[in-house]
Amino acid sequence: MAETAGVQSPLFCEELFMVDIHYSSCMDYRQENLDRALAAVLMPLLTGLGGIAGKSVMIKPNLLEYHRENDPASVHPQLLLALCRFLKEHEASRIAVIENPAVRTADAVVRSMGIMAEVEKLGVTVKNCTNYEKVSDMPERCRNRQLEIATEFREYDLLIDFAKAKTHAMMTLTCGVKNLFGLIRGSERLSWHLAVGRNFDDFADMLLDIYLLAAPQITLLDAITGMEGNGPGSGDPVELGFLCASKDALALDASVAEKLGVDDTPVLRRGRARNLLMAYRDCGEVPQVHKIRLPDKPDKMLEWGVYFPVKLRELLRKMLLSHPVVDKKKCISCGLCAQKCPPQTLKMRRKLPQFDYAGCIRCYCCQEFCPQGAITVAQSGWMKVLSGAEKVLRKLNINRKSGKRLILLLLFALAVTGGYFLAEAVNGIRQFDQHMSERKDAAVTVTETGNCPENANDASQAQEAIRQAEMRAEQALAQRDAAIVARSQSEAEKAEAEAGAARAEAARSQAVQETERANERAAVAVEKAEESEAVREFLHSVIAGMVPAGEDEPEIAALAALKAKLPEISGISPWRHRRAVAVEAAQILSGFDDLESALPLLQMAYALDMEHRPVSAEAVQSGKLLGDLCFAMEDFASALEYFRISLQTARQVFGENHAETAAECHRAGSACNALGNYSGALEYFRKSLEIYQAIHEGESRETAVANYAIGVTLVKLGQRREAVEFLQKAAGIAGRILGADHPYTRQFTRDLQQLQPQEP
């Protein structure tokens, strides 16, 4: 297992506080390979989340565009379909694919992928982001105090950040964190590009704030076929051959960057500076490093630029900056690049984009949105020449005295300056020739239309006629552009008005209730983010307090540091943060089998829930954890009491026919079995089976387990004939649902075979 530390500490426990990055090899998009790889990377994460049975799931995929088969600009359609199928097979109650593509709608992109019919057959909803809110109650570590963001993810129990491994002209690499930028409204995205300009670190800070606010529970990366070169929309496909997933998007980005040979990106640089990047380790089928071809750095400058005066550096900056260029053969004159340009310095002239490089902020939105890949980022000729010269100067700096180096630098500066002005002169001559050619064309047009004075021998009159013709041509072009924009705006406003009226009519009767529920969900989401932040800070303080306990015993140091911090938990405020830290610390101690130390922490969390929110999902969770701990300590009577209370609370919070209610019934039955109360256990197990059958409307892993529990309990009651019937059901369902090689199937079959020979 490869391991990497994202943050440094005096002694870091590699087994306790690391974020796992789960990798699986997958060389193509065939269904059997995708199913295997998805199970390998997602099952460890779902197990840590307590499964997804009965939970609602939102998938936020990267659906930039899909122009051709296997287009690497978006996640692969077969992988998206396989993910929906995987979630459905694991009993997710509701699945939605929600995205805000750059140009088209989410359902239009999915339809162009050719999988809409199969997705709808699975009962999966595909739609655009619509519920935008200005969130001002941001987590403490955020730099921006307000963001307008799509809040649909708050309506779901689980958010899956489903990204594509691609290069990016602005951010170098786009993976998990950058994919969350799709939660920002389209118009706001352009505003952000304009606001940060060439300061890419500010843009990266905004992406990290979205990552902290949305806090996806799972980040999944499609890196079977990625994109290199002119990313993120028009690059070249590159075979990478792996899938990976993690509970932390930033840690996943850092791990994948290493695998792709990327040393640094603005997101990773700012994540480390803000102490957001947790330590991580690579698990599973970890791929070898495959160095991909990156786009030219948009603000690449030579290191020796610091030696020159300010004005000379400005001249060099203009000469050396990379810039977008258009391939006239590929351009279809759609004008989308001009519409999406944040500073509006790109204009359409004679059906082709014309760039004003002086006002260009190098956001490369034009390149990203171009549907034909006609716009690329080009390194200037001066940069190519001077990069080679830089290598020569470096060598001279090593082998010559400082006086000679200074002379060489001054001579080189003079040569560069002279070359720059020569280039400007050549460029001016070209512009003059182009201008005269345009004037000649205009003069021919004027003559043909009869607007030039007949037999005009006066050159000044001819020139005035030409000037007037040029003005009329420019006015006509401007009027045409204005008419196109006005017509588009008018049609968009009309469509928006009609859609708004329809939405208002449909939602009027439930507006107040929906608003209240949205506010409640927003409050819960903010609370969860704050609790996660409190836990993160507590764990950082534990790491900082670790004392070496021997090179081979990092776990002893980690456990000692954690136990030394336990008295501080009772002083954490507010109570919600205290409860979250107590639960996290108790689970870590349980992993070390220190159940005695974990017990008072879970009792503290349980007491806080009973005091402040006795009827809540959190109260069900703390009661369940406390009952499980008592069961592990063989205090079965206490475990049964906690399970019974959690069951009663689950019925109030979730209702009778809910997976949580069924799970609590099963736990209570297990405790009764341990106490020898087999009749009571049988009653709980039968109720659990009844609920699972109502939820799943047929066979499932849960119904198999419930049938098995009933069969085992009937054996203890001496009712062997009836027990065989339930064990046969359990083995049959497990074989059909999980397969013959699954541990459950083998266990159920083995117990059935041991019981059947005793039957007359």
Side-chain angles (χ1 to χ4, degrees), residues 304 307-308 312 386 389-417:
W304 45 261
Y307 297 127
F308 295 118
L312 183 55
L386 297 183
E390 180 189 19
K391 296 178 182 178
V392 176
L393 282 177
R394 283 204 187 104
K395 188 172 182 180
L396 291 174
N397 284 343
I398 295 173
N399 301 323
R400 301 290 187 271
K401 295 181 180 180
S402 58
K404 292 183 178 180
R405 290 202 305 269
L406 181 59
I407 293 172
L408 286 170
L409 287 171
L410 290 174
L411 290 174
F412 190 72
L414 290 173
V416 168
T417 306

Side-chain angles (χ1 to χ4, degrees), residues 444-621:
V444 171
T445 302
V446 169
T447 303
E448 291 176 351
T449 56
N451 290 332
C452 186
E454 294 182 4
N455 303 319
N457 296 320
D458 193 338
S460 63
Q461 291 181 7
Q463 290 176 357
E464 178 62 22
I466 292 172
R467 189 182 68 81
Q468 293 293 334
E470 288 178 342
M471 291 178 59
R472 286 195 298 272
E474 290 179 358
Q475 289 173 358
L477 288 173
Q479 290 172 357
R480 185 201 64 181
D481 293 344
I484 292 172
V485 172
R487 184 168 62 253
S488 299
Q489 291 177 344
S490 176
E491 292 174 355
E493 290 171 359
K494 181 180 179 181
E496 181 64 26
E498 292 175 355
R503 289 194 297 268
E505 182 65 25
R508 185 174 292 112
S509 61
Q510 299 179 352
V512 174
Q513 296 179 5
E514 289 294 335
T515 301
E516 291 176 352
R517 284 197 291 268
N519 290 337
E520 291 174 0
R521 288 193 296 268
V524 169
V526 171
E527 287 180 2
K528 288 182 179 179
E530 292 175 347
E531 291 169 8
S532 298
E533 185 69 16
V535 171
R536 187 192 293 265
E537 291 179 357
F538 176 77
L539 295 180
H540 275 297
S541 69
V542 171
I543 295 170
M546 288 172 62
V547 177
E551 184 176 352
D552 299 327
E553 299 179 331
E555 292 186 2
I556 296 177
L559 182 59
L562 177 60
K563 295 180 73 171
K565 285 283 185 179
L566 295 184
E568 299 180 10
I569 296 178
S570 60
I572 295 177
S573 181
W575 70 268
R576 291 184 292 99
H577 296 183
R578 182 161 66 254
R579 185 258 187 203
V581 173
V583 169
E584 184 71 18
Q587 291 178 323
I588 294 174
L589 290 167
S590 298
F592 281 106
D593 292 330
D594 190 353
L595 306 184
E596 296 291 341
S597 298
L599 181 61
L601 294 174
L602 285 181
Q603 288 173 334
M604 176 196 301
Y606 183 70
L608 289 170
D609 284 332
M610 290 298 102
E611 177 184 356
H612 296 282
R613 49 187 180 192
V615 182
S616 65
E618 290 77 10
V620 175
Q621 181 203 31

Side-chain angles (χ1 to χ4, degrees), residues 7 35 48 117 271 314 461 560 593:
V7 294
D35 292 343
E314 291 177 355
Q461 291 181 7
D593 292 330

Side-chain angles (χ1 to χ4, degrees), residues 147-212:
L147 282 175
E148 184 174 8
I149 188 172
T151 56
E152 276 90 352
F153 65 89
R154 292 175 174 169
E155 302 171 9
Y156 295 82
D157 299 318
L158 190 69
L159 171 60
I160 298 181
D161 176 12
F162 184 17
K164 183 78 171 181
K166 302 186 291 183
T167 53
H168 195 281
M170 184 176 179
M171 291 288 103
T172 306
L173 198 64
T174 169
C175 292
V177 174
K178 175 62 172 64
N179 185 48
L180 295 172
F181 190 45
L183 296 175
I184 298 292
R185 188 193 300 270
S187 58
E188 287 295 312
R189 283 191 247 175
L190 297 180
S191 299
W192 271 108
H193 279 300
L194 184 58
V196 301
R198 299 184 182 112
N199 192 341
F200 298 152
D201 282 356
D202 284 351
F203 193 83
D205 276 330
M206 179 270 298
L207 295 177
L208 290 169
D209 287 352
I210 300 174
Y211 147 76
L212 291 173

